[in-house]
Amino acid sequence: MQEGDFSREGLCPREVPAAQAAGAVDGEGAPPGGARAQAATMRVNEKYSTLPAEDRSVHVINICAIEDIGHLPSEGTLLNSLSVDPDASCKYGLYFRDGKRKVDYILVYHHKRPSGSRPVARRTQQAEPASGTRGAKQDQPLPGKAVTLPPSPLPTSDASPPEPAMDYHEDDKRFRREEYEGNLLEAGLQLERDEDTKIHGMGFVKIHAPWSVLCREAEFLRLKMPTKKMYHINETRGLLKKVNSILQKVTAPIQPKVAEHRPQTTKRLSYPFSREKQHLFDLSDKDSFFDSKTRSTIVYEILKRTTCTKAKYSMGRGEGKKESALLNKRRKCGKYGITSLLANGVYSAAYPLHDGDYEGDSVEFNDRKLLYEEWASYRVFYKYQPIDLVRKYFGEKIGLYFAWLGVYTQMLIPASVVGVIVFLYGCATVDQNVPSMEMCDQRHNITMCPLCDKTCSYWKMSSACATARASHLFDNPATVFFSVFMALWAATFMEHWKRKQMRLNYRWDLTGFEEEEEAVKDHPRAEYEARVLEKSLRKESKHKEKRRPLQEEPTNTWKQRVRTAMAGVKLTDKVKLTWKDRFPAYFTNLVSIIFMIAVTFAIVLGVIIYRISTAAALAMNSSPSVRSNIRVTVTATAVIINLVVIILLDELYGCIARWLTKIEVPKTEKSFEERLIFKAFLLKFVNSYTPIFYVAFFKGRFVGRPGDYVYIFRSFRMEECAPGGCLMELCIQLSIIMLGKQLIQNNLFEIGIPKMKKLIRYLKLRRQRPPAPEEGVKKKQRYEVDYNLEPFAGLTPEYMEMIIQFGFVTLFVASFPLAPLFALLNNIIEIRLDAKKFVTELQRPVAVRAKDIGIWYNILRGVGKLAVIINAFVISFTSDFIPRLVYLYMYSRDGTMHGFINHTLSSFNVSDFQNGTAPNEPLDLGYEVQICRYKDYREPPWSEHKYDISKDFWAVLAARLAFVIVFQNLVMFMSDFVDWVIPDIPKDISQQIHKEKALMVELYMREEQGKQQLLDTWMEKESRSDGPCSNHSPKACQDGGPGHYGSAL
């Protein structure tokens, strides 16, 4: 058997029946048509062969169709195990079949095989750009088609497999894939296809960017690459140097064992890549000059701008709904590339590959495995993050997110320490708190008015002793100090992050990124282009209707215009979407957001009614223990209901925000992301904080008084705060919602949902194609494994949960000093959880360059400013801090807090109850009550203006408002002062940036001087060689020059 009797991969014999060879493509079977056709096919095989010419000899025969000729599967497995695994040379999908060209990107598509056929072997072919016209390329068979054989393998069979029914939608997708891939070949990319995979009905197109394409695109994208020039980084001197060395030794055990994380003393000078200045760059190893992140970014940019503009079938081929669907899909494929093809289902997925496996002893060491061991493992929770390696693998945008999360978590450590100290201070002084001691003293025998009508009876104030003592843990003078501290902490955190961000920009060569950012920002989205094309076609239609009568216009003019637009006529150059085009979407957005906020308020109102009705029902219970714990029971159950509703509405509002942003049709991805973030944050902010705002600022404020209460729907009486105030209830509400969201939404959902989706995809694939016996031996390709991972959905959910947590930490910190501690514990887990998700659960995202965290920084600043105002109101209106100060300095007789509880209670004559509102059991306490007390500042019943608001109320209100103004302005001034004192750019980084610029100028000058010296040397040589011609006749020069002249003498 000769070498030519085998296919190019040495996998299958070419001696197949004529009926089988009829379906062969690109040399995978004998082509019909005689010797000329065979010779042409052999030439195509030479062009698309994956192996070099000298390596095409077959050394090992791997019989891939053994089960098709009647052998047992076990024998086929045995022969496969004795042969060389053809996938090992390409590192199981990381390289092309030649084992030399790295796979930079993967395109995935659905394909349908004719019924009754099955693939012979894993067959892949690569296509390289060749000279010739585009039409010539499209006339050739599409490379990489898998061979399909009829059910009967016998050579005597003359019948071909039945032709499947034509599916115009699938055929249209296939034709657009062929055109798109042809355009990718023209752009210089190299392709290789694999349709025989373990994933049933899926085809994979592997893309490789050769060196010339990488250089061209790097110059176009102005990627900064390291040059040969190296310089020393300025090191600190004196005391700072000693301190830094001590810190490095102390923190050595918590540093990750990653080369990129070690302190650098030298740095390569970076410069935007230029093909004309390649001599400036270190190109000793071209394979590693562009890392995998950069290669995938370059390929993705080519995929985005490569267009697909044609459709195979004429408009008259379809009928009814098929025709309109086809028309719509072609209309969406006008001027843009992969984003539209993914949206229309031409390709089902597009992603770069991970560097390899991350688990196993025999796994080749790679960056993914290193990240898994030193970053994505819970065993290293105490270590710093290898941010530089994260940036190298995932890109700057994801690297900045994890750097910000690390800085935020670090800054939570001092806040947690101070919060714990404040809490411990409250625990230590609880027995010295006079108001709570008076409230717990049964000798005072203070009888309180009923908490509800009819069913509730009178009660003793001493029964609320536990609530009063617990309130002091969070409502004490240290709370005010902690609120001021947290406001300054927020300002310091923002400044610290800005400085850290500048250091990262310097280390990652992002200092001159503005121009590139503007270029990316102006790139239009696929949906925007589709709307603009639709508008331009509609505009052209109206223009033509005005120019000629309607009856003369052909019936298929609209279809003809679409075909013309798809053929490449640019109708959208001067057309833009104006506010009139977007007005319906804007109106829908406004109405929907108002409706969603109203739904949130309605749910809070429903929970309020639940609390009131449940309290009234529990008051009728005969058990004394149930009646004594009414307030705690109602509060706890209501908060749990709020938590469940908040979690459900969070998921719903996220989907609604995305839909509202899509119908606005923003022009750029940056605009789309910012609008989505704004809507999602607004809805989730209202959803998360509305119940807390109610307890903090509205509960107990609009109750009325005994005998003249305020009712909801004329039947539900507004609930009151406890005698110790609503701050304890606010603390319970805040803690349960914060901890519940972190535990359920941020952790369990992030762990459970991806694993559940992965399991569903696995079961679906198993159901579609049960595994064959020999497939257990064959290892999956890298692109097959990555396809089963969850697609990357952006960083918006990750940022959103952290921003909401930042709000819990800062907005109501006066009521819950332990919030920073719980946030710190959550973030320690969150960092490793997110890291593990990115490394093991998600497809590798396309690296995106960014120099900051974008709109999230402005949201953080807004939340920090709002926190100052809210904490001022919480301290002054929700807590009893201001009433205590007023009593201490204005009403106390001995300068102590004795008598404060009695001062805050007003009296009510039970004979003044409205009809039907008095307690049904007035003797429940064992004696007749004539005067009951309630918390308010009102005149007593024996006063001339009984039950009117007293002067004490206005004195306390004035003090509260004065505190809000003083606190807000003082803390704002201190925050701005911190902002002003701390420079945004560290001094050493500023010096290094100036040093880089000076070195770049020096490098330019040396290059110019070298060029000038070469030019002078060349001119001098030219002048010497042309010297005799200037002194003698041209004839003498022509006859021999100086030598001839000398010989004549």
Side-chain angles (χ1 to χ4, degrees):
M1 191 175 288
Q2 303 296 324
E3 176 185 340
D5 294 332
F6 290 91
S7 66
R8 57 178 179 76
E9 295 177 14
L11 296 177
C12 304
R14 287 186 182 170
E15 295 177 357
V16 292
Q20 300 176 16
V25 180
D26 281 359
E28 294 182 5
R36 180 175 301 176
Q38 292 180 8
T41 305
M42 291 178 66
R43 287 194 297 272
V44 173
N45 288 337
E46 290 291 323
K47 177 180 178 182
Y48 292 118
S49 176
T50 61
L51 297 176
E54 64 272 11
D55 294 336
R56 291 179 192 159
S57 60
V58 179
H59 301 290
V60 179
I61 299 175
N62 181 9
I63 303 176
C64 58
I66 190 167
E67 60 178 0
D68 281 340
I69 59 177
H71 289 276
L72 294 175
S74 60
E75 299 178 25
T77 305
L78 177 62
L79 287 173
N80 279 328
S81 63
L82 294 176
S83 64
V84 176
D85 189 354
D87 295 330
S89 62
C90 63
K91 295 187 179 180
Y92 298 98
L94 288 174
Y95 288 81
F96 276 21
R97 300 296 294 181
D98 57 8
K100 298 179 180 179
R101 289 168 295 169
K102 184 176 177 61
V103 176
D104 298 319
Y105 218 87
I106 291 292
L107 300 179
V108 189
Y109 60 91
H110 293 273
H111 69 90
K112 293 184 178 179
R113 295 190 179 97
S115 60
S117 65
R118 59 181 162 186
V120 174
R122 183 184 302 278
R123 304 224 172 172
T124 57
Q125 289 189 356
Q126 64 92 21
E128 297 181 3
S131 60
T133 61
R134 175 173 169 179
K137 286 183 181 179
Q138 292 179 354
D139 291 337
Q140 296 175 356
L142 189 67
K145 277 279 191 176
V147 176
T148 55
L149 298 180
S152 176
L154 298 176
T156 57
S157 176
D158 296 327
S160 300
E163 189 106 3
M166 180 64 71
D167 189 341
Y168 293 112
H169 294 286
E170 291 298 324
D171 202 44
D172 182 69
K173 292 179 182 179
R174 181 187 60 79
F175 182 81
R176 281 198 277 176
R177 283 197 298 268
E178 293 176 0
E179 183 201 356
Y180 185 70
E181 290 164 13
N183 293 340
L184 293 179
L185 293 176
E186 289 185 351
L189 298 178
Q190 298 176 7
L191 311 180
E192 187 175 80
R193 176 172 296 178
D194 186 1
E195 287 187 351
D196 178 27
T197 64
K198 285 189 175 184
I199 304 178
H200 179 68
M202 287 294 177
F204 296 85
V205 178
K206 295 174 277 186
I207 302 177
H208 168 76
W211 174 256
S212 58
V213 174
L214 293 174
C215 294
R216 182 192 70 204
E217 297 298 321
E219 182 176 357
F220 174 72
L221 296 174
R222 294 183 56 81
L223 295 180
K224 277 190 173 183
M225 304 302 296
T227 63
K228 298 177 182 178
K229 177 69 175 177
M230 298 184 68
Y231 67 95
H232 288 276
I233 299 175
N234 294 335
E235 297 182 0
T236 56
R237 299 177 181 177
L239 181 62
L240 286 178
K241 184 177 182 180
K242 294 181 180 179
V243 172
N244 288 337
S245 63
I246 294 173
L247 287 177
Q248 289 178 6
K249 292 179 181 179
V250 171
T251 59
I254 61 176
Q255 299 291 344
K257 298 177 182 178
V258 177
E260 287 81 358
H261 198 76
R262 295 168 187 164
Q264 303 293 331
T265 58
T266 60
K267 186 177 184 294
R268 287 189 178 272
L269 189 65
S270 297
Y271 181 72
F273 187 82
S274 173
R275 287 173 289 182
E276 296 179 355
K277 295 182 173 58
Q278 288 193 29
H279 59 279
L280 297 177
F281 303 93
D282 184 11
L283 303 180
S284 57
D285 186 6
K286 292 185 177 181
D287 293 336
S288 61
F289 183 73
F290 295 105
D291 57 14
S292 59
K293 165 186 68 74
T294 307
R295 296 175 70 97
S296 62
T297 302
I298 288 174
V299 173
Y300 182 65
E301 290 296 327
I302 298 176
L303 293 176
K304 282 198 300 184
R305 71 168 184 261
T306 302
T307 57
C308 161
T309 57
K310 294 183 180 178
K312 181 175 181 180
Y313 296 107
S314 64
M315 294 297 176
R317 296 277 308 258
E319 295 180 2
K321 294 183 179 179
K322 291 183 178 180
E323 181 183 27
S324 68
L326 211 57
L327 175 65
N328 290 334
K329 285 185 179 277
R330 289 193 191 108
R331 189 187 307 165
K332 293 180 180 178
C333 189
K335 290 176 60 179
Y336 40 85
I338 190 62
T339 53
S340 170
L341 299 178
L342 289 171
N344 295 335
V346 178
Y347 290 102
S348 58
Y351 50 88
L353 292 180
H354 281 290
D355 280 357
D357 292 328
Y358 58 89
E359 285 184 310
D361 298 332
S362 60
V363 174
E364 183 179 351
F365 197 76
N366 55 70
D367 285 343
R368 189 187 186 194
K369 182 177 176 62
L370 183 59
L371 282 172
Y372 180 76
E373 293 176 352
E374 294 294 330
W375 182 52
S377 175
Y378 293 109
R379 294 183 290 103
V380 294
F381 73 92
Y382 60 91
K383 288 188 176 183
Y384 285 97
Q385 300 182 85
I387 293 298
D388 291 325
L389 184 60
V390 174
R391 172 253 180 181
K392 177 186 175 184
Y393 193 79
F394 291 110
E396 287 79 5
K397 191 170 185 178
I398 295 177
L400 282 172
Y401 163 70
F402 281 103
W404 173 83
L405 184 56
V407 171
Y408 172 47
T409 305
Q410 280 182 328
M411 291 294 293
L412 281 174
I413 295 176
S416 303
V417 171
V418 177
V420 171
I421 293 174
V422 170
F423 177 75
L424 294 177
Y425 171 81
C427 295
T429 58
V430 67
D431 292 331
Q432 303 172 9
N433 183 36
V434 175
S436 62
M437 292 172 61
E438 288 185 350
M439 192 176 296
C440 296
D441 191 356
Q442 297 184 3
R443 294 174 299 176
H444 285 77
N445 197 25
I446 300 177
T447 303
M448 303 297 294
C449 295
L451 296 176
C452 61
D453 294 341
K454 294 184 180 180
T455 57
C456 298
S457 183
Y458 305 104
W459 56 285
K460 293 285 188 178
M461 174 171 276
S462 57
S463 63
C465 174
T467 305
R469 291 174 62 86
S471 296
H472 179 73
L473 301 178
F474 307 100
D475 187 6
N476 54 69
T479 305
V480 180
F481 160 76
F482 189 57
S483 300
V484 177
F485 171 82
M486 287 303 295
L488 298 180
W489 172 88
T492 307
F493 162 60
M494 301 303 295
E495 293 304 311
H496 179 45
W497 166 243
K498 283 195 291 187
R499 291 169 64 84
K500 178 69 173 179
Q501 192 171 254
M502 284 304 303
R503 290 188 181 276
L504 294 177
N505 286 340
Y506 166 70
R507 267 168 37 197
W508 297 349
D509 298 320
L510 296 171
T511 51
F513 183 63
E514 287 78 12
E515 298 84 1
E516 303 154 63
E517 194 175 28
E518 290 297 322
V520 174
K521 186 179 69 174
D522 292 335
H523 185 76
R525 295 174 62 248
E527 292 80 359
Y528 179 84
E529 290 284 358
R531 283 288 301 273
V532 170
L533 177 62
E534 183 181 347
K535 180 182 178 181
S536 62
L537 293 174
R538 196 162 51 241
K539 191 174 182 180
E540 184 195 13
S541 175
K542 292 181 180 179
H543 182 66
K544 287 188 176 181
E545 287 176 358
K546 293 180 180 179
R547 292 177 57 183
R548 58 183 179 180
L550 183 62
Q551 61 271 15
E552 295 181 4
E553 187 175 6
T555 57
N556 62 343
T557 303
W558 176 262
K559 300 175 184 178
Q560 184 62 38
R561 281 199 298 273
V562 174
R563 287 201 300 270
T564 304
M566 295 302 103
V569 177
K570 296 182 178 180
L571 301 174
T572 62
D573 289 343
K574 298 182 179 180
V575 180
K576 296 180 180 179
L577 295 183
T578 63
W579 68 271
K580 293 182 180 180
D581 301 318
R582 291 194 173 103
F583 179 76
Y586 289 156
F587 183 75
T588 304
N589 270 259
L590 179 63
V591 173
S592 301
I593 290 175
I594 293 175
F595 176 74
M596 291 297 107
I597 294 175
V599 167
T600 304
F601 289 163
I603 292 174
V604 172
L605 180 61
V607 174
I608 294 172
I609 295 175
Y610 161 80
R611 295 162 64 111
I612 297 171
S613 57
T614 305
L618 291 177
M620 299 171 61
N621 196 294
S622 59
S623 174
S625 60
V626 172
R627 285 184 294 177
S628 62
N629 296 315
I630 289 177
R631 197 180 295 275
V632 176
T633 304
V634 170
T635 300
T637 55
V639 172
I640 292 174
I641 294 173
N642 275 327
L643 174 62
V644 174
V645 171
I646 286 171
I647 292 175
L648 295 178
L649 288 184
D650 261 357
E651 302 299 323
L652 176 63
Y653 286 168
C655 299
I656 292 176
R658 181 168 291 275
W659 174 74
L660 292 176
T661 309
K662 283 183 178 179
I663 65 174
E664 281 187 16
V665 197
K667 183 176 181 180
T668 63
E669 287 294 339
K670 183 179 178 64
S671 175
F672 178 88
E673 185 178 9
E674 289 181 350
R675 296 185 186 200
L676 172 62
I677 290 171
F678 174 76
K679 294 181 184 64
F681 175 75
L682 177 63
L683 292 175
K684 292 188 177 185
F685 182 89
V686 172
N687 180 44
S688 299
Y689 296 115
T690 298
I692 302 174
F693 269 93
Y694 163 73
V695 175
F697 303 121
F698 295 97
K699 184 179 180 181
R701 310 293 173 192
F702 311 100
V703 178
R705 59 170 180 83
D708 188 20
Y709 283 114
V710 177
Y711 292 89
I712 303 176
F713 306 128
R714 298 183 180 181
S715 56
F716 298 102
R717 199 178 96 186
M718 290 294 291
E719 55 183 344
E720 305 175 36
C721 290
C726 284
L727 196 67
M728 186 58 200
E729 187 173 342
L730 176 62
C731 175
I732 296 173
Q733 184 105 2
L734 183 65
S735 58
I736 293 179
I737 291 178
M738 178 182 176
L739 298 178
K741 276 179 64 68
Q742 290 182 352
L743 180 63
I744 298 174
Q745 194 172 28
N746 298 358
N747 294 331
L748 293 183
F749 280 14
E750 287 193 13
I751 296 174
I753 291 179
K755 289 188 178 297
M756 189 180 300
K757 289 182 178 179
K758 189 176 180 180
L759 178 63
I760 292 173
R761 284 195 301 269
Y762 174 75
L763 295 176
K764 186 183 295 184
L765 292 174
R766 288 288 297 269
R767 196 183 308 115
Q768 290 176 353
R769 184 185 185 187
E774 71 276 7
E775 287 190 352
V777 179
K778 188 168 58 175
K779 184 178 178 180
K780 275 190 176 183
Q781 301 290 297
R782 178 78 261 152
Y783 44 85
E784 295 176 352
V785 177
D786 286 3
Y787 176 74
N788 291 326
L789 299 177
E790 183 74 12
F792 175 64
L795 290 171
T796 299
E798 315 297 335
Y799 273 114
M800 188 67 69
E801 65 185 56
M802 289 295 105
I803 298 296
I804 295 296
Q805 184 204 84
F806 182 77
F808 282 119
V809 170
T810 56
L811 292 180
F812 296 94
V813 74
S815 63
F816 190 40
L818 295 179
L821 175 63
F822 289 112
L824 173 64
L825 298 176
N826 173 81
N827 287 4
I828 292 174
I829 302 173
E830 180 74 21
I831 290 176
R832 306 304 163 182
L833 182 63
D834 283 348
K836 193 169 186 178
K837 182 174 67 174
F838 273 84
V839 173
T840 65
E841 301 289 341
L842 296 180
Q843 293 175 356
R844 187 174 183 177
V846 179
V848 179
R849 288 177 296 168
K851 64 182 302 183
D852 52 39
I853 60 175
I855 193 175
W856 296 109
Y857 181 81
N858 297 328
I859 293 177
L860 283 170
R861 286 188 64 88
V863 172
K865 299 293 184 183
L866 183 63
V868 177
I869 302 173
I870 290 180
N871 280 304
F873 277 94
V874 168
I875 294 171
S876 61
F877 284 91
T878 309
S879 74
D880 282 338
F881 177 74
I882 299 300
R884 288 173 186 170
L885 287 181
V886 172
Y887 176 80
L888 184 64
Y889 292 105
M890 292 182 62
Y891 300 102
S892 178
R893 297 178 180 177
D894 53 0
T896 64
M897 293 301 297
H898 289 285
F900 171 74
I901 294 297
N902 187 62
H903 177 74
T904 58
L905 297 177
S906 298
S907 300
F908 177 76
N909 193 333
V910 297
S911 61
D912 294 332
F913 271 122
Q914 292 181 353
N915 294 332
T917 61
N920 295 331
E921 298 180 5
L923 300 178
D924 189 50
L925 293 178
Y927 56 88
E928 183 180 359
V929 177
Q930 296 181 351
I931 299 293
C932 64
R933 310 294 296 273
Y934 62 98
K935 189 174 182 180
D936 203 349
Y937 290 101
R938 291 183 179 270
E939 297 290 343
W942 52 84
S943 173
E944 182 179 357
H945 305 283
K946 64 177 183 178
Y947 307 134
D948 287 349
I949 295 175
S950 65
K951 295 180 180 179
D952 298 342
F953 172 84
W954 299 110
V956 172
L957 179 61
R960 283 173 166 169
L961 294 176
F963 176 83
V964 168
I965 296 173
V966 172
F967 182 89
Q968 175 185 339
N969 287 278
L970 177 63
V971 175
M972 288 284 190
F973 170 77
M974 296 173 68
S975 301
D976 292 340
F977 180 75
V978 170
D979 192 358
W980 176 74
V981 167
I982 303 176
D984 294 343
I985 305 177
K987 186 177 180 180
D988 59 330
I989 297 299
S990 179
Q991 291 175 352
Q992 297 293 347
I993 293 174
H994 288 305
K995 184 177 180 179
E996 275 197 354
K997 291 180 180 179
L999 289 173
M1000 187 59 66
V1001 172
E1002 181 183 351
L1003 189 63
Y1004 270 146
M1005 294 301 295
R1006 288 183 180 178
E1007 185 181 359
E1008 291 298 325
Q1009 289 174 2
K1011 289 180 180 179
Q1012 188 64 37
Q1013 289 178 359
L1014 288 175
L1015 182 61
D1016 293 343
T1017 305
W1018 180 77
M1019 292 293 293
E1020 185 178 351
K1021 289 182 179 180
E1022 286 293 321
S1023 63
R1024 289 179 181 177
S1025 62
D1026 294 343
C1029 296
S1030 61
N1031 299 325
H1032 302 279
S1033 64
K1035 184 177 180 181
C1037 292
Q1038 293 174 2
D1039 290 340
H1044 181 74
Y1045 183 74
S1047 64
L1049 289 175

